[in-house]
Amino acid sequence: MNRDSDDLSLVLSGGGAHAAYQVGFLRYLAGRYPRLRIPILTGISAGAINAAFIANHQGTFKEAIAALCDFWSRLDIAQVYRADAPSLLKSLLRLGVHLFTAGRPQSPVPKGLVDTAPLRRLLETGFLSPNGRLAGIGENIRRQKLKAVAITATNYTTGQAVTWVQGKDIEMWERPDRHGMMTELTVDQIMASSALPILFPAIGIGGAWYGDGGIRQYAPLSPSLHLGAARIMAVSTHYRPSSQEAGGAVQHGYPSLARIMDILMSAIFIDLLEQDLLGLERVNQLLDREPREDHSPLRLVRAFTLCPSVNLGLLAGGSEPDLPRPFRFLTRGLGTRKSGSFDWVSMLMFDRRYVKQLMDIGEADARAQKEKIEAFLADA
């Protein structure tokens, strides 16, 4: 690259299985820029899996993305969480006992609707990390291939968003509701950032319990900005509906639990990235118009954003019959099929057919934005 390349950052948001869309974008990018160097990687929720995978891989960018594509292409639900009848029944019984005994100390504490032990085994195998350590990240930092990688989770103990950072010569930050913490990243941090509330169990780290990073991270771009990024590529998994689509009725009558969960999950895990990008654009417009003092903490940060051209949640309706039968029975009981509300279920749809669809859409959307990507990466 013609200028300092340490300012380029990749921001990958959450959304469970929707993160396969990000992989499609990266597949296009790797085909166009096989030796691209992205020194700052940040991820939230399932995006943390993709960010950490790339940061841990010691090959070229193209080789890393090829391995990531293979990782996602082999996925199935049984490799991510247990959704068989005995496991679901055990979780529901534990929850029922806890509720009807008023949470007495002797009652079993419900930790999550599903068991994610398969996901831990999958990550340890996919990251070549039998002991949970991500040795490749430290090696890539030592070789100056990587400047820093950041993964965000929510500390259930304090209510803060915590961003774990591994890098060199990085200054941490402290805000009332979020802060950075220097550490050596492990599979535990990835599991914590990906732990969808209520559905996935929280992860204990250092005497505290952590869950999905999207819950309290109101500023998804902030880790990249604190790490020195001047150019940000952000991949959202949120479909932007037209005004007509947004104003249309999705469900008539009293809202089902599935519909309420759709809106809740979208508000928490998907919409925040676009709000943060809007704020960044406004600051950039201000800096473009007004002369800036040398001592000003503000700086111009360019961003490229990719969003799905189709509603990934609605797309999941076609794959809903492929869910494990006990889990499908449970979700239909919440009203998914009756109301057509598949957004929150789609986040758990780690089905190979659905994952492939999302990867193909991500690649096609990136190809449609070819000129904008080339302009943004003009130095590459």
Side-chain angles (χ1 to χ4, degrees):
M1 303 179 77
N2 296 330
R3 59 190 172 106
D4 183 7
S5 62
D6 282 346
D7 63 358
L8 179 61
S9 174
L10 176 66
V11 176
L12 300 175
S13 65
H18 292 188
Y21 175 83
Q22 300 167 352
V23 181
F25 163 74
L26 292 168
R27 184 167 64 188
Y28 169 81
L29 201 63
R32 182 69 180 85
Y33 301 94
R35 303 193 70 83
L36 179 64
R37 176 173 171 261
I38 306 178
I40 302 173
L41 296 163
T42 73
I44 301 173
S45 191
I49 297 176
N50 292 336
F53 192 102
I54 299 168
N56 191 58
H57 198 281
Q58 297 186 47
T60 63
F61 181 64
K62 184 176 183 177
E63 291 168 345
I65 301 309
L68 181 63
C69 290
D70 184 65
F71 176 84
W72 276 89
S73 298
R74 295 173 181 271
L75 273 185
D76 61 47
I77 291 173
Q79 291 178 300
V80 180
Y81 56 86
R82 292 193 181 120
D84 55 281
S87 296
L88 285 176
L89 184 59
K90 181 179 178 181
S91 297
L92 291 173
L93 284 174
R94 179 173 291 180
L95 177 61
V97 170
H98 194 71
L99 288 173
F100 287 106
T101 59
R104 292 179 180 176
Q106 63 269 27
S107 65
V109 179
K111 294 184 177 180
L113 182 62
V114 297
D115 179 4
T116 54
L119 177 59
R120 180 179 291 275
R121 291 194 294 270
L122 175 68
L123 293 177
E124 290 179 348
T125 302
F127 283 71
L128 303 177
S129 175
N131 59 0
R133 292 183 64 250
L134 306 178
I137 294 179
E139 179 61 20
N140 285 332
I141 291 172
R142 187 190 67 81
R143 292 163 48 196
Q144 298 185 344
K145 175 184 175 183
L146 181 67
K147 179 181 179 181
V149 57
I151 293 175
T152 300
T154 300
N155 186 331
Y156 286 143
T157 307
T158 66
Q160 291 182 308
V162 177
T163 298
W164 291 297
V165 180
Q166 186 170 349
K168 186 177 181 181
D169 300 327
I170 303 297
E171 184 177 346
M172 292 297 95
W173 61 94
E174 187 76 35
R175 299 290 184 272
D177 55 356
R178 53 188 169 86
H179 64 91
M181 181 185 298
M182 186 69 74
T183 189
E184 182 180 357
L185 294 175
T186 68
V187 169
D188 279 340
Q189 276 88 3
I190 302 173
M191 289 287 295
S193 183
S194 308
L196 292 167
I198 302 175
L199 301 172
F200 289 4
I203 304 298
I205 301 175
W209 292 94
Y210 294 86
D212 197 288
I215 301 174
R216 294 287 290 175
Q217 179 54 290
Y218 303 139
L221 300 182
S222 65
S224 289
L225 298 176
H226 285 297
L227 295 173
R231 294 174 298 158
I232 296 176
M233 288 190 298
V235 187
S236 172
T237 58
H238 177 51
Y239 169 68
R240 295 175 178 173
S242 65
S243 299
Q244 184 176 3
E245 288 176 309
V250 176
Q251 179 183 357
H252 297 281
Y254 194 82
S256 64
L257 287 174
R259 178 57 183 160
I260 294 171
M261 290 182 68
D262 277 358
I263 297 172
L264 181 64
M265 289 291 189
S266 293
I268 294 175
F269 302 114
I270 298 178
D271 295 345
L272 294 176
L273 176 59
E274 295 186 26
Q275 295 173 15
D276 208 18
L277 284 163
L278 181 60
L280 178 64
E281 290 173 5
R282 288 172 176 168
V283 172
N284 283 341
Q285 290 171 5
L286 176 64
L287 294 176
D288 278 336
R289 289 196 305 264
E290 302 292 337
R292 182 166 54 94
E293 301 292 337
D294 292 339
H295 60 273
S296 172
L298 297 177
R299 69 180 189 277
L300 197 66
V301 179
R302 299 299 184 189
F304 168 81
T305 315
L306 187 74
C307 298
S309 59
V310 298
N311 189 321
L312 304 183
L314 288 178
L315 189 67
S319 297
E320 187 264 355
D322 297 329
L323 284 170
R325 187 173 181 180
F327 193 71
R328 186 173 70 242
F329 179 82
L330 176 63
T331 59
R332 288 181 179 180
L334 295 174
T336 52
R337 197 166 195 181
K338 183 178 180 180
S339 64
S341 298
F342 296 106
D343 281 355
W344 75 274
V345 176
S346 68
M347 297 182 186
L348 302 172
M349 194 83 70
F350 293 93
D351 171 75
R352 292 184 185 180
R353 181 161 68 107
Y354 182 61
V355 164
K356 183 181 184 303
Q357 282 182 298
L358 266 57
M359 290 171 61
D360 290 344
I361 293 170
E363 185 172 16
D365 286 351
R367 188 175 294 109
Q369 298 291 322
K370 175 183 176 181
E371 288 77 14
K372 291 184 179 180
I373 294 174
E374 289 183 349
F376 183 78
L377 295 174
D379 295 340

